[in-house]
Amino acid sequence: MTASAGDEREPPGPSAALLAGVTAEALCAAQGYAAGVYLCSRSPHMLRLAVLSGLPGPLFRPWWRVHLERPFPVGDAHRLGTPVVLANATEAMRRYPQFAAGLPFQFGTLNVPVVAEGHAFGVMTVLRPAASDAGEIQEQRERLARVADSLAAALLRSLAEGSAVTWDDEPLCVRPPAAGPAPGRVGRLAWDPVGDSVTTDECARVLLGLAPDRPPDTLSALSRAVDPMDAHRLPGLLREAAQGRPPPRPVQVRTADGGVRLLQLWAPPSNAPTPVSGVLIDPAPGSLADGAADLLPEGVFCLDRLGLVVYANARAAHLLGVERARMLGRSLWDAVPWLGRPACEEHLRGALLSPEAVHFHIRRPPPPAEAGDAGARSGPRPYEGDWLSMAVYPGPDLLTCTAVPASRVPHDPRRPAPTGVTEAAAQGVNGAAPDAEADVPAPDSAASTAPAYRPIVLAIALTEAVTARQVSAVVVQELLPAFGGRRLAIYLLQERHLYLAWETGFPEGFLAPFEGVGLDARLPGVETLTTGRPLFFDSMGQLADAYPGIPLDAEVGARAFLPLIASGRPVGSCILGFDGPRSFGSEERTVLTALAGLIAHAMEKAQRYDTEAALARGLQQVLLPRRLSQHARVETAGRYLAGTEGMEVGGDWYDVVEAGDGLALVIGDVQGHGVQAAATMGQLRSAVRAFALGDRPPEEVMGGTNLLLIDLDPGQFASCCYVRLDPVTGLARAVRAGHPLPLLRHADGRTEVVDLRGGVVLGVDPRAHYPVTELRLDPGAILALYTDGLVERPGQDIDEGVTDLRSALSAAGAPGRPLAEVADRLTAAPRRTPDRPDDIALLLATRLPTHRT
């Protein structure tokens, strides 16, 4: 829910007092100007913004939800369990280009996971001024981590008490404590409920109309200083604040002489009454920001960091076409709705997030025509078609905004004109528009026009998607929310027929009859592709009239059918569905058509990728051993799991080779993924097999393979472990080239890490030496060779992964259990994991007891 004055409903999940309190602490700890807390929601893989402090919630609606599978700093901090620090915009662009494209401003961000006793509740995030590097804000990061820990402890207690710790509503938007003494006529007051003592500064007493030497010393005395109509409300507001429930926005109170004041209260969350602090603002002319109004041209108005108008001079109200009384104490978007255009909102975001002033042009809508107004019928009104030159100057607590008619903007060679502005356009000659981007009608609803940056964000996200499934997932996460859509279907063209590649939101089985339809079918999804023309239907009635007899999945709603055409070649079609009737404006049609082109190119690339990946997987299957060499006294088992990133093809391999009267156990890992890694792996496997079949000593096998890789010069290196085992005696001679240490499970269940001396990885140093270590494999013992993909986990030390594998091997390797079953148990967890960043190879070997040979 959106917090508002007088709204006493308690949102589901953590209390508003707790969330407001921790964000205030976070701002202080990290020296930021905005803070928020993301919490887990009931939807899997999604975080929701629970509280936002210091920024207007409506301006940041696109960031209310974060999908964990998308590369965003908040999502990574939660998923990996480690802080994500972006010191400045350069660092953000390098690590998170999609995030930086959506908020292309100069600021830094700290993101700390909220975790306690294995429970990951969410992420605390703070926006702060940009720094040169992460080291500069290390101290703030540590302090913020302590605040996050205190929040996690509180949520853990709530969880133990059976209270909800998830969030599925709109964020609470709260005001942070003032950064310092405010300019102009702003008074400060405080009330201690324990002793019922009130303290006020001189300015507060002046604003209340009291004599400077007669301060109100109790709550009842303070109540007598305001209008009798407000006197009964004031004690209630202060008592609620003392219980940790201050009003989220300033409330209007009137003094005894009728003057309007804005009162803002805050107090730290607590189970017991705590002192309340407050500020008293005079929004009337001659008070706040009058000094700025004298220095800046024409209209001046001021916003706090939640978008509330706290000051406006008469000229600003005149230029914006709003009565000044209707502006004060209201959000800018309530007071001046036509300023809620995407281009204008983007400039306000820039002023809120960076220290630089922003300048832009915007066109005022014509005033409404009044009945009997001949001027409205016969010609343009005085301000119809006029353009304003706007400037926004950021500050720690306030934004100071100026408005000047565009025709009166003085020429400043230091500031280039906005894109598309000519001198004639600035003068309004022939009705030219200074800035076509800003000349957009205000949307009918928040979802009716996508933010201006959405095409950029979608384009960046699509560059990271490689498979058709990933492309479709990006469209669901980025395109549907931007336009308020609920349904999506993507069809791809194969041999002159359309086949469903992805769907979401449609009733189960509804799309089945359309599977494999030919290009001669009279269906909107077909005709949009064959004609190359997008089709928009404002309602299902329009769709039914255009295509009589077509099955409909809803009685109401709107549909958009978009052709997917890449470089002139048909790829497929995309269907967007909306729950209610709606109209598609010209800008929306243009943006949707352009986005369809981006989707088409991404899908075409994904189809090529899928074909190449299938060939690469076939190559890898050929290179991996179909069966392992066997010996009557040795049992072996191997497993391979491809990584799920990229082509799911890598350079891990294992092998068992006859070496004289013994067996050679081999495992290796070529750097990187893809066809090149698989090809290099095949060459190394062949080389090791050739050396092993000749029963060369282990040190010669590793040294010869190292020289071969250097000679091939594929630009890659590899790790490897080679063990030559005598099945009769159990003597093993092993060498290691930068590979993880093997594990040995004894027959009694004890498991240890085998301390093998080793050399550098293969392919680096032609003079590398690989020392031999001898060990003995007793009957019933299990030797485990593995690659690092089995023990490495994001955000965890590799030693912890090795310890976990040791425990699993000790439990799985029970006497008499087939080795193949042991291998399956050790790889069961990663096999069920959808996101495996690396390949996994495992090779197990055990000597059989004599009576089983």
Side-chain angles (χ1 to χ4, degrees), residues 651 653 668-671 680-681 684 702 706 709 716-720 737-739 760-764 770:
W653 92 94
D669 182 0
V670 177
Q671 169 214 10
T680 302
M681 176 268 285
L684 293 184
M702 199 64 72
N706 176 51
L709 184 58
Q716 295 170 304
F717 58 84
S719 68
C720 186
H739 201 79
V760 299
V761 293
L762 304 175
V764 174
Y770 299 97

Side-chain angles (χ1 to χ4, degrees), residues 129-427:
S132 59
D133 56 53
E136 186 177 332
I137 53 179
Q138 178 65 25
E139 183 179 350
Q140 289 94 317
R141 167 188 159 176
E142 294 172 356
R143 289 201 298 262
L144 184 63
R146 290 193 287 271
V147 178
D149 289 342
S150 68
L151 173 60
L155 295 176
L156 190 64
R157 290 193 296 270
S158 298
L159 186 64
E161 296 167 358
S163 301
V165 293
T166 58
W167 193 273
D168 285 278
D169 220 323
E170 294 183 4
L172 299 166
C173 298
V174 299
R175 179 170 284 95
R185 296 180 64 190
V186 176
R188 297 182 180 273
L189 57 86
W191 176 59
D192 185 354
V194 177
D196 188 25
S197 61
V198 173
T199 58
T200 54
D201 64 7
E202 181 179 353
C203 188
R205 293 192 290 273
V206 171
L207 292 176
L208 290 171
L210 301 172
D213 57 346
R214 297 186 59 187
D217 54 358
T218 64
L219 181 56
S220 59
L222 180 65
S223 299
R224 289 194 297 270
V226 300
D227 185 274
M229 296 296 293
D230 291 329
H232 72 284
R233 291 194 308 131
L234 189 59
L237 289 171
L238 286 166
R239 292 190 181 103
E240 287 286 308
Q243 295 294 334
R245 298 189 298 273
R249 294 182 180 179
V251 293
Q252 284 191 1
V253 294
R254 292 184 178 273
T255 61
D257 61 1
V260 176
R261 305 291 183 258
L262 297 176
L263 177 63
Q264 173 69 71
L265 301 172
W266 66 86
S270 175
N271 295 326
T274 58
V276 179
S277 301
V279 293
L280 202 65
I281 304 172
D282 177 10
S287 59
L288 185 65
D290 268 7
D294 293 337
L295 298 175
L296 299 174
E298 303 298 344
V300 178
F301 59 98
C302 297
L303 313 173
D304 70 3
R305 294 196 68 84
L306 291 191
L308 196 77
V309 181
V310 297
Y311 171 80
N313 67 3
R315 182 61 171 158
H318 174 70
L319 291 174
L320 297 176
V322 182
E323 293 180 10
R324 184 165 55 167
R326 290 182 53 83
M327 293 182 65
L328 299 177
R330 303 178 64 188
S331 75
L332 180 64
W333 302 275
D334 290 339
V336 192
W338 56 270
L339 287 179
R341 303 174 185 176
C344 181
E345 290 185 343
E346 185 75 356
H347 292 301
L348 288 175
R349 274 192 289 268
L352 285 162
L353 295 178
S354 62
E356 301 297 327
V358 297
H359 305 267
F360 60 97
H361 285 67
I362 192 166
R363 189 174 190 175
R364 293 177 294 184
E370 300 177 0
D373 189 340
R377 297 189 301 269
S378 60
R381 298 176 64 84
Y383 294 109
E384 184 172 355
D386 275 1
W387 287 76
L388 294 179
S389 174
M390 305 285 292
V392 184
Y393 301 88
D397 295 317
L398 296 174
L399 302 182
T400 300
C401 311
T402 66
V404 183
S407 59
R408 296 181 57 186
V409 177
H411 175 68
D412 185 351
R414 297 171 299 176
R415 185 194 308 165
T419 304
V421 177
T422 63
E423 183 177 353
Q427 300 295 333

Side-chain angles (χ1 to χ4, degrees), residues 38-41 45-47 66 68 72-84 111-115 119-123:
Y38 284 87
L39 294 177
C40 294
S41 68
H45 309 299
M46 182 183 292
L47 298 177
V66 170
L68 293 179
F72 269 67
V74 168
D76 279 1
H78 180 76
R79 184 167 49 85
L80 302 178
T82 58
V84 174
N111 306 273
V112 177
V114 180
V115 181
H119 294 278
F121 297 107
V123 176

